[in-house]
Amino acid sequence: MITLKQLRYFEALARERHFGRAAEAVHISQPALSAQIMDMEATLGVALFERARKQVLLTREGEIIIAKRIEEGIRELMAALAHYPSVVRQLCNEYDLVAKEERKLTD
């Protein structure tokens, strides 16, 4: 079973593309991060990262997991925002104002 902690570590490694920096970002040691990622890969039965000398890249399977996490996050955000329509209107209005100002600068 994949834990939320492992997903957090996975996301940090996907973002940082480096075991040392990812471990630092989630406040654990590099060997502990590496062990958690390997455990996650073993549980899923797929490699999530392609390990190169100076960087770590997502495999296709890793990209799919990131896409699903983004989709879940968007769904959660939309559900939360549904309870606050006035906040949504305000954010949309502010975004519209910013977009108009940006267009003025580029025209």
Side-chain angles (χ1 to χ4, degrees), residues 46-97:
V46 296
L48 299 172
F49 295 96
E50 183 180 314
R51 290 136 173 100
R53 282 188 79 192
K54 295 194 177 200
Q55 67 177 348
V56 178
L57 303 171
L58 284 167
T59 62
R60 179 72 182 128
E61 291 81 3
E63 289 175 350
I64 290 168
I65 289 174
I66 286 290
K68 286 181 181 178
R69 292 289 292 163
I70 291 169
E71 185 179 328
E72 288 170 11
I74 290 170
R75 264 195 244 114
E76 290 172 10
L77 177 61
M78 295 301 288
L81 289 175
H83 298 288
Y84 304 98
S86 63
V87 172
V88 172
R89 277 191 300 278
Q90 181 182 354
L91 289 171
C92 289
N93 289 337
E94 288 176 13
Y95 175 78
D96 189 45
L97 290 174

